[in-house]
């Protein structure tokens, strides 16, 4: 998945900078909680790091009994990458802009729907945020994964949805999906003609799948600072920037303090959406 890809791209460069071999160990399952809890309980010696995702921020509210706290059980190091969601609709739907989608949904109360890759996922919560922001009467259709959700939006079984840019671009290029807006602060180089949400008049609506590097809480500050500086160096590398751009993503970096503030804001934002939707994974 994208987290594994990110880990391999970043670690390949970190190896040269810090002079240490890095072994990537994937621990899937439990909505990413199995690997996260394992990392949280690892020795705080700088030899075990954790590549977190937006799912960890969402899970803080989605699960009632987590085995970790993202803010207190980890020491933030740096953000590493960000990939925005794209609001798309079936090409069978008679809309070309976000405002036209909103207008059509209001004209058809209770008759339109959006697809997601499952309850509590970013596409689900983004759809609910969109629904709440504009007071729409639309139905959420949850699928067991991103692929079937994408397929049914292409076919017109579902009307629209928030998709990862990388998964949606081939269908957009084939004319099977209509891109309405990118949910990020800037346009994507792979979709230069698709406006951002802000550009179409919808402020404060940024939905991104992000990755960031953490260490277990208590890891010495000098190790944290050294790794953060290394991440900043990686983010400046042109070949890394090009590699991420090809994945419809952006390589990023931040200080530990900046990353901690960002994570706290993400936890709050997604917590508000989880409470709004009543979503629960327990």
């Amino acid at each position: 998945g994208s987290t594994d890809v990110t880990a391999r791209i970043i670690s390949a460069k970190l190896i040269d900078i810090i002079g240490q071999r890095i072994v990537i160990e994937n621990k899937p399952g439990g909505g990413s909680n199995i690997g996260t809890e394992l990392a949280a309980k690892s020795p705080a010696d700088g030899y075990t790091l954790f590549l977190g995702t937006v799912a960890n921020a969402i899970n803080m509210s989605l699960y009632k009994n987590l085995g970790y706290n993202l803010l207190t059980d980890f020491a933030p190091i740096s953000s590493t990458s960000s990939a925005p969601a794209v609001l798309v609709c079936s090409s069978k739907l008679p809309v070309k802009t976000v405002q036209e989608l909103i207008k059509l949904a209001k004209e058809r109360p209770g008759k339109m729907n959006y697809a997601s890759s499952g309850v509590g996922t970013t596409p689900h919560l983004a759809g609910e945020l969109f629904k709440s922001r504009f007071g729409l009467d639309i139905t959420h259709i949850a699928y067991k994964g991103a692929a079937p959700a994408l397929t049914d939006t292409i076919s017109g079984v579902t009307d629209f949805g928030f998709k990862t840019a990388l998964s949606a671009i081939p269908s957009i290029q084939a004319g099977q999906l209509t891109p309405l807006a990118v949910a990020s602060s800037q346009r994507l180089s792979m979709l230069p003609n698709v406006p951002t949400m802000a550009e179409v008049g919808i402020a404060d609506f940024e939905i991104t799948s992000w990755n960031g590097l953490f260490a277990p809480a208590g890891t010495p500050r000098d190790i944290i600072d050294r790794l953060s500086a290394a991440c900043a160096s990686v983010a400046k590398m042109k070949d890394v920037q090009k590699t991420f751009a090809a994945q419809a993503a952006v390589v990023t970096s931040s200080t530990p303090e900046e990353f901690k503030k960002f994570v706290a804001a993400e936890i709050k934002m997604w917590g508000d959406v989880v409470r709004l939707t009543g979503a629960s994974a327990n």
Side-chain angles (χ1 to χ4, degrees):
S2 61
T3 301
D4 177 73
V5 172
T6 298
R8 294 183 187 282
I9 295 171
I10 298 296
S11 65
K13 300 298 183 179
L14 287 178
I15 290 172
D16 294 332
I17 297 173
I18 65 175
Q20 292 280 347
R21 187 168 68 94
I22 299 174
V23 177
I24 297 169
E25 187 174 3
N26 290 308
K27 289 287 184 180
S32 81
N33 291 325
I34 292 176
T36 309
E37 185 173 353
L38 180 66
K41 295 178 179 178
S42 296
D45 56 9
Y47 285 94
T48 298
L49 305 177
F50 171 64
L51 190 63
T53 75
V54 63
N56 296 120
I58 294 173
N59 289 351
M60 288 285 287
S61 300
L62 193 64
Y63 290 82
K64 293 182 175 63
N65 299 300
L66 274 181
Y68 64 89
N69 184 305
L70 195 60
L71 290 176
T72 59
D73 291 335
F74 288 97
I77 296 172
S78 173
S79 63
T80 57
S81 66
S82 177
V86 180
L87 175 58
V88 299
C89 69
S90 168
S91 58
K92 295 178 174 61
L93 209 64
V95 301
K96 297 295 182 183
T97 68
V98 178
Q99 299 303 338
E100 287 178 356
L101 176 64
I102 295 170
K103 182 175 181 292
L104 186 65
K106 289 187 174 181
E107 291 173 350
R108 300 178 181 178
K111 296 182 179 180
M112 290 184 63
N113 55 53
Y114 73 93
S116 85
S117 50
V119 174
T121 61
T122 306
H124 169 213
L125 299 180
E128 289 300 309
L129 189 62
F130 187 73
K131 172 182 177 179
S132 173
R133 178 77 69 91
F134 299 104
L136 304 179
D137 182 5
I138 55 178
T139 302
H140 169 227
I141 308 296
Y143 289 82
K144 293 182 178 179
L150 181 67
T151 298
D152 273 9
T153 303
I154 290 171
S155 66
V157 173
T158 54
D159 296 311
F160 70 96
F162 287 86
K163 316 292 184 183
T164 61
L166 187 62
S167 67
I169 283 173
S171 300
I172 291 171
Q173 293 173 335
Q176 298 170 316
L177 290 174
T178 301
L180 304 179
V182 179
S184 65
S185 60
Q186 59 187 21
R187 295 191 183 196
L188 276 174
S189 60
M190 296 180 73
L191 294 172
N193 297 322
V194 180
T196 66
M197 282 290 205
E199 287 177 325
V200 298
I202 301 174
D204 301 320
F205 202 106
E206 294 183 17
I207 309 296
T208 60
S209 295
W210 52 264
N211 287 109
L213 201 60
F214 298 82
T219 299
R221 180 65 196 223
D222 62 325
I223 294 177
I224 297 296
D225 288 341
R226 184 183 176 197
L227 290 168
S228 183
C231 287
S233 296
V234 172
K236 294 176 183 177
M237 297 178 181
K238 296 298 182 183
D239 60 332
V240 174
Q241 294 171 1
K242 185 177 180 179
T243 300
F244 274 98
Q247 301 291 321
V250 178
V251 61
T252 63
S253 69
S254 60
T255 66
E257 288 73 24
E258 289 170 340
F259 188 38
K260 183 176 182 178
K261 183 177 180 181
F262 169 79
V263 171
E266 285 283 289
I267 291 172
K268 181 183 184 306
M269 182 191 79
W270 290 117
D272 290 343
V273 178
V274 168
R275 285 184 284 276
L276 174 71
T277 62
S280 175
N282 290 104

